[in-house]
Amino acid sequence: MTPTDIADPFSRRTFLLGALSTAATLAGCTTSTGVRTPPVPPVISRPILPPTDEELAVMYGPVEDDGILIPAIPYREIDPRFYRQRVANTTGEPDNTVVVDTPGRFLYITEPGGTAMRYGVGIGREGFAWQGEGIIHWRQHWPRWKPPNEMVARQPELARFSIENGGMEPGLKNPLGARALYIFQNGQDTLYRLHGSPEWRSIGKAVSSGCVRLINQDIIDLYARVPYHARIVVHQ
């Protein structure tokens, strides 16, 4: 099995789903009566199937990353709709856009060919505080966690991890997990983050802290797919 197979187990399936329509070349043109024909939906050019148990065992198995061993996730204890999986792009957004569906507890990265990779997420208190459009301006492998001063004021026990003290060392206990994506709008940090978490039970739920959390295995996969300065849309 190659690293590509592990990162995207669906890519090794060779059949295509979706009806191929020659009418796709006529999208948006007008008829002789001057009536505009409805646009033709994009042809689905990749398989759309739920992951098999064998694929899930690889996707959520143990991972050694930058010398840190991420333990396997007991994926059978997670609602299957929150598994990482390829779906039809129903977001209405163009390719390479990150979409956060806060009420649905899903995150999408849209792809060429009418599909999107979908991940289950947990939404923390800060995750409900921002909506709109921005860009993923900064990305970090195994980031340090630096709680803002307002949080430290509420929870003095966090003072040792404050910005002034350099934050918490990267690792499995770090609340930002294996990766963090930092969202900016109009050149300013929104304080909105997409990040990893070892707390797999929180996926699909509203949680007490953080922004948008993914299983560490999923944030690593998402990080590899998101292009530099990708656009992000957050729906509340």
Side-chain angles (χ1 to χ4, degrees):
M1 178 175 293
T2 67
T4 301
D5 290 332
I6 295 174
D8 187 359
F10 301 99
S11 64
R12 62 183 183 273
R13 302 183 187 179
T14 58
F15 56 87
L16 302 180
L17 298 183
L20 299 177
S21 171
T22 57
T25 59
L26 303 178
C29 65
T30 57
T31 66
S32 58
T33 62
V35 177
R36 182 173 292 276
T37 58
V40 177
V43 172
I44 303 300
S45 61
R46 294 188 182 190
I48 299 180
L49 290 173
T52 66
D53 197 65
E54 290 78 10
E55 289 168 336
L56 289 167
V58 173
M59 289 161 56
Y60 295 123
V63 177
E64 184 174 351
D65 184 76
D66 288 352
I68 297 175
L69 181 62
I70 301 172
I73 299 298
Y75 58 87
R76 293 186 182 90
E77 298 181 38
I78 299 174
D79 188 328
R81 60 196 177 111
F82 295 121
Y83 294 156
R84 183 199 322 164
Q85 56 192 291
R86 180 164 283 117
V87 297
N89 178 12
T90 58
T91 69
E93 300 296 342
D95 301 347
N96 296 318
T97 303
V98 178
V99 181
V100 179
D101 172 10
T102 304
R105 309 291 193 264
F106 291 122
L107 182 148
Y108 302 82
I109 174 69
T110 61
E111 303 173 319
T115 59
M117 191 61 72
R118 188 182 76 186
Y119 308 81
V121 298
I123 307 293
R125 180 174 53 242
E126 293 83 356
F128 290 101
W130 187 80
Q131 65 178 334
E133 297 186 20
I135 62 168
I136 297 175
H137 183 70
W138 193 36
R139 314 183 325 155
Q140 287 287 300
H141 277 68
W142 292 103
R144 299 181 74 90
W145 179 56
K146 300 177 182 179
N149 292 333
E150 295 80 2
M151 180 180 289
V152 173
R154 294 193 306 267
Q155 300 174 261
E157 67 275 14
L158 299 179
R160 60 188 174 132
F161 304 129
S162 68
I163 296 171
E164 292 78 5
N165 289 329
M168 180 187 284
E169 290 282 344
L172 292 177
K173 294 183 178 180
N174 187 301
L176 295 182
R179 305 285 190 275
L181 306 177
Y182 299 77
I183 314 308
F184 281 58
Q185 185 182 58
N186 301 322
Q188 300 295 318
D189 187 355
T190 65
L191 302 181
Y192 195 86
R193 315 283 190 242
L194 313 177
H195 61 86
S197 173
E199 298 178 12
W200 56 268
R201 288 185 177 86
S202 67
I203 300 305
K205 300 175 182 177
V207 293
S208 60
S209 62
C211 289
V212 177
R213 62 173 63 174
L214 293 81
I215 294 170
N216 275 323
Q217 282 87 337
D218 281 351
I219 193 68
I220 291 173
D221 183 86
L222 175 68
Y223 188 99
R225 296 177 189 276
V226 173
Y228 179 68
H229 274 184
R231 177 169 167 264
I232 180 170
V233 180
V234 177
H235 301 294
Q236 294 289 4

